C-alpha cells in the first residue's frame, strides 16, 4: 500500500485596516500598483492549514504588477497615507522642460523672435 502526503506553505493575505484603497508607487518597477497587505503564512498538510508560521503576520507593500514586496516599516511615504490621508509628497519644481517653459536662457541674451 502506498500513501502519499503533501506538505507545504500557504500565505493568507488581506488589506491592512486604515490602508484600504491606498495605491502607491512600487520601488521596483515604478508602477502605481502597490497596496498594503498583511500576510499570514501557514504550514499545510495535505493542503489543509495546520500551523501558523507567524502569529502577528507581516505588513508589506506589495506590487500587483511585478509582485515585489517591501516591509511597510521601510516606506514612510505610505505610512503617512494611513487613514485615507493624501499626504503624497509633491515637489514644487515648476513645469518640466518642454511643457511651454522652454530651455533656460543664458543671462544677457534675448530669446529668438521669429517674424
Amino acid at each position: 500500500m502506498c500513501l502519499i502526503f503533501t506538505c507545504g506553505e500557504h500565505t493568507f493575505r488581506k488589506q491592512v485596516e486604515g490602508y484600504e484603497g491606498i495605491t502607491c508607487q512600487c520601488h521596483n518597477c515604478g508602477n502605481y500598483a502597490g497596496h498594503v497587505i498583511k500576510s499570514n503564512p501557514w504550514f499545510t498538510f495535505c493542503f489543509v492549514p495546520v500551523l501558523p508560521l507567524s502569529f502577528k503576520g507581516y505588513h508589506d507593500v506589495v506590487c500587483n504588477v511585478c509582485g515585489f514586496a517591501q516591509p511597510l516599516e521601510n516606506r514612510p511615504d505610505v505610512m503617512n497615507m494611513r487613514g485615507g490621508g493624501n499626504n503624497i509628497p509633491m515637489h514644487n519644481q515648476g513645469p518640466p522642460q518642454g511643457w511651454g517653459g522652454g530651455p533656460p536662457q543664458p543671462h544677457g541674451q534675448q530669446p529668438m523672435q521669429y517674424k
Side-chain angles (χ1 to χ4, degrees):
M1 181 197 291
C2 178
L3 296 175
I4 298 175
F5 297 104
T6 59
C7 297
E9 185 261 339
H10 179 75
T11 302
F12 294 96
R13 297 174 186 243
K14 66 177 183 176
Q15 286 193 347
V16 177
E17 186 176 333
Y19 292 98
E20 298 94 351
I22 291 179
T23 303
C24 59
Q25 186 175 17
C26 174
H27 281 184
N28 186 45
C29 66
N31 291 312
Y32 281 91
H35 298 282
V36 181
I37 302 293
K38 181 177 181 180
S39 302
N40 291 318
W42 282 70
F43 173 76
T44 59
F45 180 73
C46 293
F47 304 105
V48 177
V50 178
L51 182 67
L53 298 177
S54 171
F55 290 108
K56 293 184 179 181
Y58 305 103
H59 292 87
D60 295 327
V61 177
V62 180
C63 180
N64 291 342
V65 175
C66 67
F68 180 72
Q70 185 176 20
L72 182 61
E73 296 83 33
N74 295 346
R75 295 291 304 267
D77 58 327
V78 178
M79 292 171 61
N80 289 335
M81 293 184 211
R82 183 179 182 132
N86 293 329
N87 298 332
I88 300 172
M90 297 297 218
H91 304 285
N92 296 328
Q93 298 175 352
Q97 289 187 2
W99 287 65
Q105 298 294 327
H107 295 289
Q109 289 184 349
Q110 295 293 327
M112 293 180 66
Q113 299 276 331
Y114 294 104
K115 295 183 180 185

